[in-house]
Amino acid sequence: MLSRVLSAAVYGVDGYVVTVETDIAYGLSVFNIVGLPDAAVKEAQHRVQAAVKNSGFAFPNRRITVNLAPADVKKEGPAFDLPMAIGILAAGGSLPPGSLSGLAFLGELSLDGTLRPVKGAVAMAVAAAQAGLRGLAVPPQNATEAAMVESLSVYGVGSLNEAVGLARGQTTLTPTRTDVAALFARAAAQTIDLAEVRGHEHAKRALEIAAAGGHNTLMVGPPGSGKTMLARRLPTILPPMTLPEALETTRIHSVVGALSPDRPLVATRPFRSPHHNVSESGMIGGGSSPRPGEVSLAHNGVLFLDELPEFRRDVLEALRQPVEDGEVTIGRARSTFTFPARFMLVCAMNPCPCGFAGDPRHACSCTPPKIRSYRSRISGPLLDRIDIHIEVPALKYDDLSTRRAGESSSAVVERVTRARGAQLARFAATGLRDPVYCNAQMGPQLVRRVCAVSAQSDEILRAAIDRLGLSARAYHRVLKVARTIADLEEKESIQPSHVTEAVQYRTLDRAAW
Amino acid sequence: MDTRPLGKRGEDLAASHLREQGWEILERNYRSRRGEIDLVCREGDTIVFVEVKARSGTGFARPDQSVTRRKQAKLRRLIEEYRLGHRLEDSDVRFDVLGVTLARKQPRFEHIRGAL
């Protein structure tokens, strides 16, 4: 009268195995669920009861107790419907003993016994494989993503009856196979290209440098000048995702239910563009048992903040930790959650509220105090973390109508990948404890070691700092960017021309700001 | 209106109806501090507690609807007590509501199984 069925759940972005214990005892019919269930888990009793009956089984009119072990972790969501139904059938003797060993079940039941997809199938499949299970039964919509975990046989079951058939060994289901390498190759194709952006040669060059060094970037320009179009194409000039990176990002997207059967793998760098009214928990992750936010969904990709000054101040302040550490920690009374959040930050803003300050063809209607207050909405500490400032002017007609297409993303990405390779080799040679993946992540000590400049370059820097009023922090930013420019040219030492160009990307440090 | 004669007649009719179905009547009007149960029966291996709802006419609420939530909780405790007192922990138990409508010459029965 007791049965044990394995299942899994998600805690933060990690999965863990849950044992669903079901006991059926004599007594008036009661269905109790223990093990910190939330409302959706408690409601499972009604779905399970209807689904069992409508699948042609008798539902035992007895005292049913279901325990979700480990009992001290909060259980959420409807994914336990299927294991509970299986558990009741097993405890009632409808399934032969031993038929469930090493097999885990996941899925939300509808009242007629068919299964609905669940969130976080990848993370749960990983947990099941780590626990040494032999198989995992999931709704068919989740089968492709879960089957990316190769050491596990994943079965897509469409209904409770199919799941029972699988446990009894009656139906011969073939495990779903996902050819991760082929899927990865197919899904890695880009649909947009840098060549589609006409003109803006200066901005494209700056973006290439940003991509090559992983530098956070701010674009300033009037509305409609192409800031968003440029930013959208940044992922296409970043080095292609490696498979481990893709799997990491996929797992996060799986937890929020952002995957679909035709797109089970996030193989291109994500581009997240949250609206400026996003809440703090929407941005960095949150909820009583936290789920990942935009910064984590942008992991290994690009987080684009359009209309930067319109974002709420607390939201922008909350960005500081992920930008700095590549991960975000969310504290809750019971525990803390750490989600990966390594992304390139790209921001865009108008130069003033009306958008036309500095535009030769439109008159700006903003008063200087208005402009000042607009610009001051971006906090200094955030601006400090942005290495490259780009001015994106409105295009002249000649630039727009030009027949000459710009360079394609594939040509740029080749240079970017080479520059990144040079950086990785250099960092490996320094034998650092903390891994540094690109120039933007270098600390002050490392900058001093690998960004040595000649006396001539030093002179240029001194002049720039004096004339433009650059801060000490800006000085380090300039050196890092100069390092990246040299890497793009495959030069080991930083030349004066590299420094001059790098200084150009500090326009917002000038007195006008 | 005095309902006792009606209730009593309903219970008598219910008991004979159940006996006809092959049930064994173990107790009638089982009472304790916690309340009372109209009939305690045995159907095969299952102990069935029956609440009889006698009605003199049709057109009113269904018989099982007059068992309120509070009464359900009370009945559950009562049934648990009975099981423990009579060493019935290892048998199936059920709670049924049997509606008896006395409007016409021939009484009508409405049997709701597993009402709790």
Side-chain angles (χ1 to χ4, degrees), chain A residues 296-370:
Chain A
S296 297
L297 293 171
H299 181 58
N300 288 324
V302 174
L303 180 69
F304 178 54
L305 305 182
D306 201 2
E307 306 288 356
L308 184 66
E310 306 294 340
F311 279 82
R312 285 188 5 217
R313 201 176 179 107
D314 57 326
V315 173
L316 294 183
E317 293 306 309
L319 277 177
R320 277 153 64 172
Q321 191 218 352
V323 165
E324 204 69 15
D325 304 339
E327 60 183 33
V328 60
T329 307
I330 299 165
R332 287 294 177 266
R334 292 184 137 261
S335 49
T336 50
F337 295 79
T338 300
F339 298 147
R342 196 171 344 104
F343 55 86
M344 259 183 81
L345 179 67
V346 179
C347 307
M349 64 182 286
N350 296 331
C352 67
C354 83
F356 294 116
D359 188 331
R361 287 168 303 157
H362 287 91
C364 173
S365 60
C366 306
T367 58
K370 235 170 132 186

Side-chain angles (χ1 to χ4, degrees), chain A residues 26-30 62-63, chain B residues 76 83 90-93 116:
Chain A
Y26 291 115
L28 285 173
S29 67
V30 194
R62 290 182 178 168
R63 170 181 287 276
Chain B
R76 275 183 185 277
R83 290 177 67 213
D90 289 339
S91 44
D92 262 335
V93 289
L116 266 190

Side-chain angles (χ1 to χ4, degrees), chain A residues 18-137:
Chain A
V18 173
T19 308
V20 179
E21 300 173 332
T22 309
D23 178 61
I24 302 183
Y26 291 115
L28 285 173
S29 67
V30 194
F31 194 152
N32 284 317
I33 301 170
V34 297
L36 296 186
D38 76 344
V41 178
K42 274 189 190 145
E43 282 175 356
Q45 56 178 283
H46 304 295
R47 287 189 297 272
V48 167
Q49 191 164 359
V52 166
K53 275 182 186 159
N54 294 327
S55 299
F57 300 99
F59 190 85
N61 276 317
R62 290 182 178 168
R63 170 181 287 276
I64 301 170
T65 309
V66 170
N67 178 37
L68 306 172
D72 61 339
V73 188
K74 260 195 188 157
K75 313 298 186 313
E76 288 189 323
F80 297 116
D81 290 4
L82 179 60
M84 280 189 213
I86 296 282
I88 286 169
L89 293 176
S94 298
L95 291 172
S99 60
L100 300 169
S101 67
L103 194 58
F105 295 85
L106 290 176
E108 173 184 340
L109 282 170
S110 77
L111 299 186
D112 63 0
T114 52
L115 284 172
R116 295 208 171 99
V118 297
K119 292 175 181 175
V122 177
M124 295 192 273
V126 169
Q130 280 167 354
L133 303 190
R134 68 181 163 95
L136 177 69

Side-chain angles (χ1 to χ4, degrees), chain B:
Chain B
M1 191 177 81
D2 190 356
T3 59
R4 241 178 315 174
L6 173 69
K8 181 81 177 87
R9 258 180 73 206
E11 278 172 34
D12 291 346
L13 284 165
S16 56
H17 173 70
L18 292 174
R19 245 185 242 112
E20 275 166 38
Q21 316 269 314
W23 292 28
E24 187 187 337
I25 310 294
L26 300 176
E27 287 204 52
R28 287 186 59 165
N29 291 317
Y30 169 78
R31 276 166 210 276
S32 87
R33 275 183 311 120
R34 296 182 183 276
E36 85 162 40
I37 297 175
D38 294 336
L39 297 170
V40 182
C41 321
R42 182 196 296 278
E43 181 197 19
D45 291 333
T46 307
I47 306 298
V48 187
F49 299 84
V50 182
E51 168 88 4
V52 178
K53 284 286 165 192
R55 294 264 189 250
S56 59
T58 52
F60 288 97
R62 278 173 41 215
D64 58 314
Q65 283 174 343
S66 60
V67 182
T68 61
R69 196 168 275 274
R70 188 156 157 218
K71 193 163 178 185
Q72 283 181 23
K74 209 166 131 187
L75 281 166
R76 275 183 185 277
R77 281 197 295 272
L78 185 59
I79 289 171
E80 283 308 309
E81 182 191 88
Y82 185 92
R83 290 177 67 213
L84 294 175
H86 292 75
R87 314 237 148 229
L88 292 168
E89 292 97 327
D90 289 339
S91 44
D92 262 335
V93 289
R94 205 174 70 212
F95 177 80
D96 290 6
V97 175
L98 185 59
V100 184
T101 310
L102 300 161
R104 301 190 190 92
K105 301 233 167 66
Q106 194 60 268
R108 274 195 315 117
F109 295 100
E110 197 178 351
H111 192 160
I112 294 134
R113 287 160 188 271
L116 266 190

